[in-house]
Amino acid sequence: MTSVTSTAHATTPDGPRPALDPERADLLAELAIARSALTHTLRGLSDEQAAARPAVGELCLGGLVKHVAATEESWLRFVLEGSPAFRYDLPEGVTWDEIMNGTARELPRWMTDRVAEFRMAPDETVAGVIRRYEEVAARTGRIVATVPGLSATHPLPAAPWHEPGAKWSVRRVLLHVIAETAQHAGHADILRESIDGRTST
C-alpha cells in the first residue's frame, strides 16, 4: 500500500484527487504506515498458513486483516452517513444486558458477521484479502480528500460501548482507525512469530 506524504494532486482510477492539506496528508500517511505493518505480516505465507490459528484463541492472520478492513470501511461509511452506517438491532426479546454478559438465546446478525470477519473461509486467499484491503484503503483516501472538513461530526449510534450522546468528528474517526490498525498489527506480529518465527519488523 502507498502512503500519502504530500499535498500534491494525486491521480486515482476515478481521476485526479483534490490536493490534500497537511493534516489530512499526515493522517492518511500514518494510517498507511499502520496498514503496511499489518499486511507485511502476511508476506510469504501460504493461504493455509494465513488461515491457521496458532494461538489459543480464534485469531488468524488473514482474519485480522479482514476484520481491520471491515472496521475501516464501516467507520468511513459513518463519516459519510452518520450513525445509520452502524446497525445494532437486537433479536426480539433479547436485551443488551444479555448480549453483554453472554446469556442471549440468540445473537444478532451483525455479531455473527463480526465473528466471521476474524476467519478465512476455505475459498479465501491471501491475495484476495490483501486486494480487498487495498480497495478499502483507496476508498478511505478518496473520502478523506473530499470530505468538507475534518471537524464535521456525527452522533455515535446507541450501544453500551458508546458514551450516550457522544459525537465523533472525521478527525476522531481517523485517529480511531489508526489506533485500531496499529493495535491489530501488533497482534498480527505475535501470530506470525508463532507460525514461523518471523515478524514484520
Side-chain angles (χ1 to χ4, degrees), residues 24-201:
R24 296 181 201 227
D26 285 348
L27 288 167
L28 287 175
E30 196 64 28
L31 179 53
I33 290 169
R35 288 196 202 103
S36 180
L38 174 58
T39 57
H40 190 79
T41 62
L42 287 172
R43 184 172 298 176
L45 291 183
S46 66
D47 299 334
E48 292 75 19
Q49 287 173 310
R53 294 174 285 185
V56 175
E58 297 291 315
L59 292 181
C60 71
L61 279 173
L64 271 182
V65 175
K66 284 177 56 182
H67 167 69
V68 173
T71 297
E72 180 175 326
E73 184 176 45
S74 295
W75 277 110
L76 270 294
R77 192 162 57 244
F78 171 83
V79 164
L80 297 177
E81 303 173 11
S83 57
F86 294 104
R87 293 295 303 270
Y88 295 135
D89 300 330
L90 298 183
E92 186 175 353
V94 174
T95 67
W96 276 117
D97 284 343
E98 292 169 335
I99 291 290
M100 299 306 288
N101 64 29
T103 61
R105 58 175 171 73
E106 179 184 357
L107 294 179
R109 174 66 181 271
W110 54 266
M111 282 191 75
T112 57
D113 286 347
R114 186 173 184 275
V115 170
E117 288 173 7
F118 285 97
R119 300 172 182 156
M120 279 184 67
D123 62 340
E124 290 182 312
T125 64
V126 171
V129 168
I130 295 295
R131 184 169 55 251
R132 169 67 177 144
Y133 196 15
E134 289 174 342
E135 291 169 354
V136 170
R139 184 170 184 264
T140 294
R142 292 193 296 270
I143 292 170
V144 173
T146 56
V147 72
L150 297 180
S151 297
T153 62
H154 291 298
L156 291 176
W161 50 87
H162 290 157
E163 180 184 353
K167 296 181 180 180
W168 275 20
S169 65
V170 177
R171 182 182 296 104
R172 176 70 183 274
V173 166
L174 289 172
L175 290 171
H176 176 73
V177 172
I178 291 168
E180 173 113 350
T181 305
Q183 180 185 36
H184 284 308
H187 296 156
D189 232 8
I190 294 170
L191 291 178
R192 176 61 189 258
E193 190 170 11
S194 299
I195 291 171
D196 62 3
R198 298 180 61 184
T199 65
S200 66
T201 53

